[in-house]
Amino acid sequence: MDQNQKTILKSFSPVKVLIPVVLGLGATAWLFIKDDKLGDLKSIADANMWWMAAAILVLIIRDFGYIYRIRALTDKFLSWRNSLDVIMLWEFASAVTPSVVGGTTVATIILNKEGIPLGKSLAYVMLTAVLDNMFFILAAPIVLLATQGEVFPTLGLDPSDVSKLKWAFYISYSLIALYTFLMIYALFVKPRAFKWLLLKITSIGFLRKWRVSAFQHGNEIVWASEQLKGKDKGYWARAILSTIFVWCARYFLLNCLIAAFTDVTLSDHLLIISRNLIFWIVMLIAITPGGAGIVEMAFPSFFGLFLGGFSNVVVVLYRLITYYPYLVLGSIFLPKWIAKVFGRQAKEQEAYASETRR
């Protein structure tokens, strides 16, 4: 079996799919059972169906934005159908890996198996990470200034808990910023100097065991940097605008769900979006696959101000719409995609062997 195929199958093993499901459903059940609020689920029937439909529509629009972005980043090398396969599997990978890890390794293999050379595949995956992180880095200070501190939740939290939450945000934000600026330096400024730095660091005694990995990663950075040289302004405009679009859509989906259960003013909408940004920056350091369990537990503290008794219901709907479908869709897309790309590879190898024998 191809090594890449082994990596894909290992990353998407049934156990890895089951873990986030168990964690997420377990945390959700605990939220309802601990306060004896199972009856709250009946309130879904009273939700504003227009806002519920809007949430589904925003989700579809967001995914289309992701599909458009990966197609634009690959200079339309990927067809619309292939772009759909890539995004569904990428979302699947992100759902079964910790948020801090994401699905980047698997995404690189997926793009490579779609016929994109390894160097370009690495470049596109690294570029999406840089674009996404730059959105967080630039948007977070804006919302902190605009909300004048109201962006951090205080409802039902002790001052010490609020302080811990703020520290979690600042630590996560600092790590994201450090990683992103290192990647920008490595990809766009001095890729070979970055490779040299990696090798220099891993020449220290107790770090020597990572020297081979550092050498490989340094080469990957150099390859990726070469692929991104010479891109025109239109390319970067499409990349940046599509990134802003998909993240705004991702955040507004929650606004739609909250508005389905309670009246939300314009200022509330802006605060919800701002708080959602802070929420996900904190969740980026979550150690569970897709933040499963942690998201469900933290959600009421962040958004209970707008929902009151509907917090548990909305977090269930939110995860049902934005998380669990990708576990299901990924399980559907994966077998067909493996049959397509690895079957095609086997035919190509067989044809090559046949030509060689002649």
Side-chain angles (χ1 to χ4, degrees):
M1 184 185 291
D2 185 291
Q3 183 59 42
N4 285 332
Q5 188 174 357
K6 289 181 181 178
T7 302
I8 291 285
L9 292 176
K10 183 178 179 181
S11 300
F12 295 138
S13 66
V15 172
K16 288 197 172 184
V17 175
L18 188 61
I19 288 173
V21 172
V22 171
L23 289 173
L25 294 180
T28 301
W30 185 80
L31 286 173
F32 283 98
I33 294 171
K34 73 181 181 74
D35 295 322
D36 194 23
K37 291 188 175 182
L38 285 173
D40 290 353
L41 291 171
K42 296 178 182 178
S43 62
I44 294 175
D46 299 323
N48 184 313
M49 288 299 111
W50 288 108
W51 277 111
M52 293 290 287
I56 301 296
L57 179 61
V58 170
L59 179 70
I60 294 171
I61 291 173
R62 186 203 72 174
D63 283 348
F64 176 77
Y66 277 124
I67 292 167
Y68 170 83
R69 182 173 72 162
I70 195 62
R71 190 163 186 263
L73 291 181
T74 61
D75 289 313
K76 297 185 179 179
F77 178 88
L78 294 176
S79 66
W80 287 107
R81 174 52 205 266
N82 290 347
S83 298
L84 172 64
D85 288 343
V86 168
I87 292 304
M88 289 299 104
L89 292 174
W90 199 334
E91 289 288 328
F92 187 28
S94 298
V96 298
T97 53
S99 299
V100 69
V101 176
T104 53
T105 301
V106 174
T108 302
I109 296 174
I110 292 169
L111 289 173
N112 184 228
K113 288 303 174 183
E114 286 290 351
I116 298 173
L118 180 59
K120 286 189 175 182
S121 298
L122 287 164
Y124 298 144
V125 172
M126 291 178 184
L127 181 57
T128 57
V130 168
L131 289 169
D132 290 342
N133 289 346
M134 281 304 299
F135 178 85
F136 301 143
I137 291 168
L138 296 176
I142 294 173
V143 302
L144 287 173
L145 289 172
T147 58
Q148 297 181 345
E150 289 184 28
V151 72
F152 291 104
T154 56
L155 184 68
L157 296 177
D158 294 329
S160 60
D161 292 330
V162 176
S163 178
K164 290 175 184 176
L165 182 60
K166 289 181 178 180
W167 273 109
F169 164 75
Y170 291 126
I171 290 171
S172 182
Y173 181 87
S174 299
L175 292 174
I176 293 168
L178 177 62
Y179 169 79
T180 304
F181 290 130
L182 276 174
M183 288 298 295
I184 290 172
Y185 176 81
L187 283 173
F188 302 109
V189 184
K190 296 284 186 179
R192 295 188 182 280
F194 182 75
K195 176 184 174 181
W196 176 87
L197 179 62
L198 288 178
L199 294 174
K200 198 71 174 175
I201 291 173
T202 51
S203 66
I204 300 171
F206 69 97
L207 297 176
R208 282 185 181 277
K209 61 182 178 180
W210 288 292
R211 190 169 178 79
V212 174
S213 296
F215 179 77
Q216 182 180 350
H217 188 59
N219 284 338
E220 291 171 353
I221 290 288
V222 173
W223 297 340
S225 178
E226 290 293 327
Q227 304 304 322
L228 295 174
K229 286 181 179 178
K231 298 295 185 184
D232 58 25
K233 292 180 180 178
Y235 179 90
W236 293 111
R238 290 188 294 272
I240 292 169
L241 291 175
S242 60
T243 298
I244 295 172
F245 176 84
V246 295
W247 281 105
C248 288
R250 178 184 283 268
Y251 293 141
F252 188 66
L253 187 150
L254 180 58
N255 288 61
C256 295
L257 287 179
I258 292 176
F261 288 88
T262 185
D263 292 331
V264 181
T265 65
L266 177 59
S267 61
D268 286 339
H269 273 296
L270 295 175
L271 183 56
I272 291 168
I273 290 174
S274 300
R275 190 166 284 188
N276 206 354
L277 173 67
I278 302 301
F279 178 65
W280 279 108
I281 288 177
V282 174
M283 289 300 106
L284 281 174
I285 59 174
I287 59 173
T288 60
I294 298 176
V295 170
E296 287 82 355
M297 299 296 291
F299 187 91
S301 296
F302 272 85
F303 303 105
L305 172 67
F306 311 100
L307 286 164
F310 294 115
S311 291
N312 294 342
V313 175
V314 172
V315 73
V316 169
L317 290 173
Y318 182 63
R319 295 297 267 177
L320 282 175
I321 292 174
T322 64
Y323 182 66
Y324 294 110
Y326 294 106
L327 295 175
V328 176
L329 289 171
S331 301
I332 294 171
F333 274 79
L334 181 62
K336 294 180 180 179
W337 181 81
I338 287 178
K340 179 184 74 171
V341 299
F342 291 102
R344 180 178 63 208
Q345 179 182 346
K347 290 179 181 178
E348 289 173 353
Q349 290 174 345
E350 184 179 338
Y352 176 77
S354 178
E355 285 293 326
T356 303
R357 285 194 294 270
R358 290 179 189 176

